[in-house]
Amino acid sequence: MSLTLRTISREQHLAYIQSLPAASHMQVPAWADVKAEWRSENLGWFDDRTGELVGVGLVLYRQLPKIKRYLAYLPEGPVINWFAPNLDDWIQPMLAHLKRQGAFSVKMGPPVIIRRWNADTIKKGIQNPDVKRLRDMEADFIEPRAFEVADKLRRMGWQQGEDGGAGFGDVQPRYVFQVPLANRSLEEVHKNFNQLWRRNIKKAEKAGVEVVQGGYHDLEEWQRLYEITAVRDHFRPRPLSYFQRMWTALNTEDPNRMRLYFARHNGVNLAAATMLIVGGHVWYSYGASDNIGREVRPSNAMQWRMLRDAYALGATVYDLRGISDTLDESDHLFGLIQFKVGTGGQAAEYLGEWDFPLNKLLHKALDIYMSRR
């Protein structure tokens, strides 16, 4: 198949995304409005024979200080046929185009999963003192074509990014935790939760925890809980304006793109979460909780409600987003995988982010600049 790449309209881009079973929320046109500090462009690949649009990419451009050169970033994209035998014919025109646009370096995150580990395998790994990381265990599923993609990219001159990621904007997590929903009943999904999760869901029900959906006007209450969480977990919170922009941009594009949930007890909000929806893929995106009321298990109740809602939407996967690959109980990031593994889902490893230095000197300068921050 011979291909032509050119800039497309947001409408064309969105129509293509809507024709797919799913795509990353970072590749919908409205994500450019969320990332307002970046310049953006919508790219389209066309089949020369039929003139049909066969792939899209949202590119975000960040200018280097003082000079008109850009880092071009395709978060969790582009949305193309990654397993195409002629991957070169997809990627090379993109690099040529981005170079003409003034890019000195390109960063992308192929939405390709290499390995998956089931919850039971992970539990065994946690109990085994010789296992420190997910990769120390044999995966339950391996995608051989993903290794071919990695080989092709290396041969083209792409460099695999560090697991830490870009330092610019949101970094695509290398490891995520997902609950598959396709061809399963809700009873099956619930049965797969571990005992602690099932007990906590029951505890919340007994205590009268209710889970409700909020709207734009509730984002200030979300922010209150989120900032409490930031202090407790030692991270820098995003400002309220970020979530307001996210809500407005995503829900203007599709009224069901972003949702907000609260778990409350006796009229007091104890936990909150944002949820993103693109086709059959649903993400739990940000979570927050108060320091009080933890004994009534609001977070478990909220996740169970969100999962049920995802199921009702016909989702094929409920994605709990990033985890670390550590299975070492003394690691401060271990709690994250421990909480998520209780849902009985799977840890998935993506190909990670890849860099292509179009100008080696500026690329190196950026690396040095980022490492000093």
Side-chain angles (χ1 to χ4, degrees), residues 127-296:
Q127 283 152 12
N128 182 343
D130 297 333
V131 171
K132 295 286 179 228
R133 304 200 160 272
L134 281 171
R135 286 241 199 133
D136 296 343
M137 300 180 298
E138 208 174 311
D140 294 292
F141 165 81
I142 288 179
E143 174 54 83
R145 294 177 302 172
F147 295 94
E148 288 172 33
V149 172
D151 283 345
K152 285 175 183 172
L153 291 176
R154 276 191 203 99
R155 284 203 298 274
M156 284 182 225
W158 288 84
Q159 300 162 4
Q160 195 155 17
E162 296 302 309
D163 280 358
F168 273 123
D170 286 348
V171 174
Q172 175 178 347
R174 180 78 182 265
Y175 295 90
V176 300
F177 205 86
Q178 300 178 336
V179 180
L181 300 177
N183 308 316
R184 296 175 75 197
S185 67
L186 265 180
E187 290 70 45
E188 259 176 90
V189 173
H190 185 263
K191 222 184 266 164
N192 248 22
F193 282 180
N194 69 11
Q195 255 179 320
L196 183 64
W197 262 82
R198 291 203 302 269
R199 213 169 37 235
N200 285 346
I201 289 166
K202 214 178 213 145
K203 198 181 252 182
E205 271 171 27
K206 256 199 177 123
V209 171
E210 24 157 24
V211 180
V212 296
Q213 265 184 261
Y216 180 86
H217 56 283
D218 299 302
L219 285 169
E220 284 182 24
E221 174 63 356
W222 148 264
Q223 192 71 15
R224 180 185 74 81
L225 291 166
Y226 173 63
E227 286 178 10
I228 290 170
T229 309
V231 171
R232 186 178 64 237
D233 294 349
H234 313 290
F235 65 84
R236 204 167 77 209
R238 291 189 178 279
L240 172 61
S241 58
Y242 180 81
F243 295 102
Q244 288 173 331
R245 189 164 71 235
M246 196 172 171
W247 182 277
T248 305
L250 296 179
N251 287 337
T252 300
E253 178 175 274
D254 179 330
N256 202 23
R257 184 77 82 218
M258 180 177 175
R259 290 184 178 187
L260 177 62
Y261 286 84
F262 290 98
R264 58 172 64 142
H265 185 241
N266 294 336
V268 179
N269 292 317
L270 298 176
T274 61
M275 181 161 117
L276 300 176
I277 301 150
V278 184
H281 202 129
V282 171
W283 293 264
Y284 154 56
S285 129
Y286 284 88
S289 61
D290 206 331
N291 298 325
I292 57 164
R294 305 188 114 192
E295 68 287 348
V296 295

